[in-house]
Amino acid sequence: MKYCLICPILFVVFTACSQSNHQKAEQSNVIVKKNSIWWGKTTGKLPALLYGEGADRLGGAVMGYIDTGVVCKIIGRSKKFYQLQLSQFHTALIDTAMIQRDTALQTAKPVLSGSWKAWGTDSCYDIVTIHLNEKVPYTSYMEVNPAAIKINLYGVQSNTNWITQMQSLKEIKNLYYHQIENDVLEVTIQLQHAQHWGYTIGYEGNKLMIKVKRQPNIVGLSHLTFAVDAGHGGTNEGASGNVYGLVEKNYTLLFAKELGKQLKLAHAKVMMTRTNDTTFDNKDRVLFLQQKNPDVLISLHLNSADDASVNGASTYYKHIGFRPLSQFILKRIAAIKMNEFGNVGSFNFALNAPTDFVNCLVEIAFLSNKSDEAKIKSPAFRTAVARQIVLGIKDWLQYVSTEKN
């Protein structure tokens, strides 16, 4: 799947009637050919399942990334996407480049789940393994109040008669499942703490493995690693200012460097996705970050709108378990006389998609607004924003240390 660039961000409001018509139009783009059903496997960089094709700059809403080598039943296609039959009542779309046809596949349905095991490692993870007799598509999401991870395994019937949970577990409180449909198995992983710190999900052979990050023993800046992402770069210039002609990629880098500096002054460990004007594809950034495994990611961008009067700061998250950080950061930035453009959830941007680490995207101000662009140009403003983000992170950590599940 290709992620669109996010700047400028356009917000479109539909009436209920027009939204319904839009959805019907999207569905009509998928041509189902009953006589040409075939099987394939996922391939390529970060294959992702989509709910639909979508019609905005960010494309169709993403259910989540899945592994390569996952067996998929193809029942139709549109110009850019294949339609997958996940289960009897569920379908999804996937980029045609992410499926490789396999004529040797003769899949017997349903797939059966086997034994489960959960244990704690010597590092910062609790691990769950679920035995299956085939790699099946899955989706996962976070729940809050109480905090839990939910995973749906498609085309699966339970043959799980024991779930072994070891005393070495530290973050996982409870582990169980429900057969919510004849061919959909829902896995629930309840957490000890209210704050989600992230999880990584993928296959090891036909065994699905979920690595759940524990809350750090000491919740403080000096015990955490922060990834700071300067949005855009190289051939991807982003938005441009209306008055001074400031180019987004150049100023996100200045803000990122200043934020890195302020985090280091607070004794945090810092890593940068880029330190100069280089092209760095968003999927490659995600893979890089998954490999480096920070505790927190802050991605910095500058907004733009057709209406030059629109201004202010905003923060973005996709997963509800990561929302608190984005709220605290926005509150602190607003405190330096920045208008609030809003806290935006379910945001369909590549760097908000990973579940592996807490993440927040910050749109600092609008390049398309004269007053905001003048602020962006000011070194003093860049220092002030960086300091406010650090204060927002400290507020979040204070909240995390006292919040109970």
Side-chain angles (χ1 to χ4, degrees):
M1 165 191 170
K2 282 188 176 179
Y3 283 92
C4 298
L5 307 178
I6 72 166
C7 295
I9 295 173
L10 303 179
F11 292 86
V12 182
V13 179
F14 296 96
T15 64
C17 179
S18 65
Q19 190 172 34
S20 175
N21 291 335
H22 172 72
Q23 289 171 344
K24 289 177 182 176
E26 288 297 334
Q27 291 169 359
S28 68
N29 288 333
V30 177
I31 303 170
V32 178
K33 298 180 180 178
K34 293 183 179 179
N35 296 326
S36 61
I37 293 173
W38 52 274
W39 297 88
K41 292 183 178 180
T42 52
T43 187
K45 289 181 184 178
L46 298 174
L49 300 179
L50 287 77
Y51 292 103
E53 295 198 39
D56 64 18
R57 290 175 61 85
L58 296 174
V62 176
M63 295 182 184
Y65 298 127
I66 58 174
D67 276 35
T68 57
V70 172
V71 176
C72 299
K73 182 181 180 181
I74 311 301
I75 60 171
R77 69 166 294 169
S78 66
K79 186 176 179 180
K80 296 181 179 179
F81 299 95
Y82 288 127
Q83 187 180 42
L84 311 184
Q85 186 78 56
L86 296 176
S87 62
Q88 183 179 359
F89 300 115
H90 299 270
T91 63
L93 299 183
I94 191 168
D95 192 305
T96 56
M98 298 297 165
I99 291 288
Q100 183 175 356
R101 190 164 189 157
D102 190 336
T103 56
L105 285 174
Q106 297 292 331
T107 303
K109 295 290 183 179
V111 172
L112 298 178
S113 67
S115 61
W116 300 13
K117 185 175 181 180
W119 71 95
T121 67
D122 292 334
S123 59
C124 58
Y125 290 100
D126 285 352
I127 295 178
V128 178
T129 55
I130 300 172
H131 287 266
L132 301 162
N133 56 320
E134 186 176 278
K135 288 183 181 179
V136 299
Y138 55 83
T139 55
S140 68
Y141 58 96
M142 301 176 192
E143 287 190 337
V144 295
N145 301 322
I149 300 164
K150 290 291 185 78
I151 302 164
N152 286 331
L153 301 175
Y154 295 100
V156 175
Q157 285 186 355
S158 175
N159 192 39
T160 299
N161 297 311
W162 61 88
I163 299 174
T164 303
Q165 298 170 77
M166 307 301 289
Q167 293 185 47
S168 54
L169 290 170
K170 294 183 179 180
E171 186 57 46
I172 295 175
K173 180 190 293 186
N174 287 306
L175 179 62
Y176 55 91
Y177 71 85
H178 288 108
Q179 188 79 53
I180 57 173
E181 296 174 21
N182 286 341
D183 55 356
V184 180
L185 190 70
E186 180 189 72
V187 176
T188 299
I189 303 173
Q190 289 186 338
L191 305 180
Q192 295 282 0
H193 295 94
Q195 175 63 51
H196 285 262
W197 285 88
Y199 64 91
T200 300
I201 181 169
Y203 281 103
E204 188 178 87
N206 288 343
K207 181 172 60 179
L208 188 67
M209 179 177 289
I210 305 100
K211 297 174 65 178
V212 181
K213 263 190 181 177
R214 297 170 180 161
Q215 180 161 302
N217 292 328
I218 301 175
V219 181
L221 276 170
S222 62
H223 291 83
L224 299 177
T225 298
F226 290 82
V228 178
D229 173 61
H232 304 275
T235 57
N236 180 1
E237 294 189 346
S240 296
N242 287 345
V243 178
Y244 302 102
L246 306 185
V247 178
E248 182 179 4
K249 66 171 185 175
N250 297 332
Y251 282 82
T252 57
L253 184 58
L254 292 175
F255 277 102
K257 287 182 175 179
E258 186 61 35
L259 177 56
K261 175 184 172 182
Q262 295 300 325
L263 284 167
K264 287 177 181 177
L265 288 173
H267 307 292
K269 299 181 181 69
V270 178
M271 52 167 289
M272 310 283 287
T273 58
R274 68 180 181 97
T275 56
N276 52 40
D277 185 20
T278 184
T279 302
F280 198 1
D281 177 76
N282 282 333
K283 283 193 175 184
D284 289 328
R285 291 189 201 214
V286 171
L287 292 169
F288 168 78
L289 289 163
Q290 287 176 330
Q291 183 181 31
K292 295 296 183 181
N293 192 30
D295 296 296
V296 179
L297 163 68
I298 308 292
S299 183
L300 302 177
H301 289 255
L302 300 169
N303 220 332
S304 184
D306 291 335
D307 183 350
S309 68
V310 176
N311 64 89
S314 47
T315 53
Y316 301 76
Y317 65 94
K318 179 175 176 66
H319 307 292
I320 188 65
F322 296 158
R323 186 186 183 204
L325 174 62
S326 66
Q327 293 175 290
F328 283 110
I329 289 176
L330 181 59
K331 185 176 181 180
R332 281 291 186 172
I333 295 177
I336 55 172
K337 298 181 180 180
M338 287 294 293
N339 287 335
E340 178 187 341
F341 190 65
N343 178 237
V344 182
S346 296
F347 195 59
N348 192 33
F349 176 57
L351 270 69
N352 289 116
T355 61
D356 310 75
F357 37 79
V358 181
N359 57 73
C360 171
L361 184 145
V362 183
E363 292 277 1
I364 298 163
F366 278 78
L367 281 166
S368 52
N369 177 267
K370 181 178 179 180
S371 177
D372 273 12
E373 189 184 7
K375 291 177 181 177
I376 291 165
K377 193 179 177 200
S378 163
F381 177 71
R382 295 197 291 272
T383 299
V385 167
R387 287 174 176 168
Q388 292 305 106
I389 291 174
V390 173
L391 287 175
I393 293 169
K394 288 181 177 179
D395 293 341
W396 169 65
L397 292 174
Q398 178 63 33
Y399 161 82
V400 166
S401 65
T402 58
E403 188 72 1
K404 298 185 183 298
N405 204 5

